[in-house]
Amino acid sequence: ERACDAWQRIANAAAARGGDTLYEQLLTRLAAMQSAHHEDGSDSATLTISLRLPEDLPPEQAEAWLAEHAQADSVHIDGNIAAWSGPRHSTLVRTMQRAILQQGGRPRAIRKTGTADLNLVAPAWGCPAIAYGPGDAALDHTPNEHIVLEEFRRGVAVLTDALSQLPALSQPSTSTGCPIEARHAL
C-alpha cells in the first residue's frame, strides 16, 4: 500500500509540474512493481519507474525530486540521461531540410520525447546533431513498429543527398576540437 501511495504521489507531482508540450513535461511511467514477504515477517516493495526528463530538470535534480515525492526508504536511479535539443537553425538542419525537399518530402522539426544516442554524444562532443528517420515515430519501440520499404528507400536517398551537400568531411575542426564527421553526425 505504501508503494502504491508513493506511485500516486509521484504521478500527481509530475502532472502538477506542468509544461506546455510533452517535451517540456516530466513524463512518468510505472514500469514494474514487485512486493515480497520476508522470513522475518517484514514486507517490502520495489517500484520501477521510467522518467523522461525535460531540459529544465537535470538528472541530479530529478533524483532529489523523485526521493522527495516517493517518500521512500531508498531511491536508486539507473541510467541518468539528460534531455538535449540542438539549434533549429544550423547548416546541418538546413542541409537536411533541402535533402528532404529534394526527395519530395515535407521537412518538419519535432522535439523527440525519447532518449536517443544524440542525447549523449551531442553534448559531450559539442557538435550539432539531429535525429532523422522515416516511418511513424509514434510506433517506435512498440509491438506495431514497422516501416514501409518505399519510406526506407526515400530515407536513404535523403541521407545520401544530405551527406553529398555537407562541407568536406575530412578536415578536423579547429574551433571545437572534434572532427567534422562528428560535428555533422546524422
Side-chain angles (χ1 to χ4, degrees), residues 171-178 180 183:
Q171 300 299 316
S173 166
T174 57
S175 63
T176 64
C178 65
I180 291 178
R183 287 195 18 220

Side-chain angles (χ1 to χ4, degrees), residues 10 26-29 49-53 62-63 65-66 77:
I10 292 164
L26 170 60
L27 304 179
T28 60
R29 181 176 62 86
I49 299 168
S50 174
L51 301 177
R52 207 291 304 160
L53 305 178
E63 187 169 359
W65 180 94
L66 188 60
I77 304 283

Side-chain angles (χ1 to χ4, degrees), residues 1 6 23 26 31-32 38 48 57 61 72 88 103 108 117-118 121 138 140 146 148 153 161 163-164 174 181:
E1 290 172 353
Y23 187 82
L26 170 60
H38 306 284
T48 302
L57 185 62
Q61 289 179 15
R88 291 181 67 148
Q103 292 301 319
R108 61 187 175 94
D117 294 342
L118 67 96
V121 299
D140 289 354
H146 67 280
V148 176
R153 288 184 193 104
D161 285 353
L163 289 171
S164 69
T174 57
E181 293 91 347

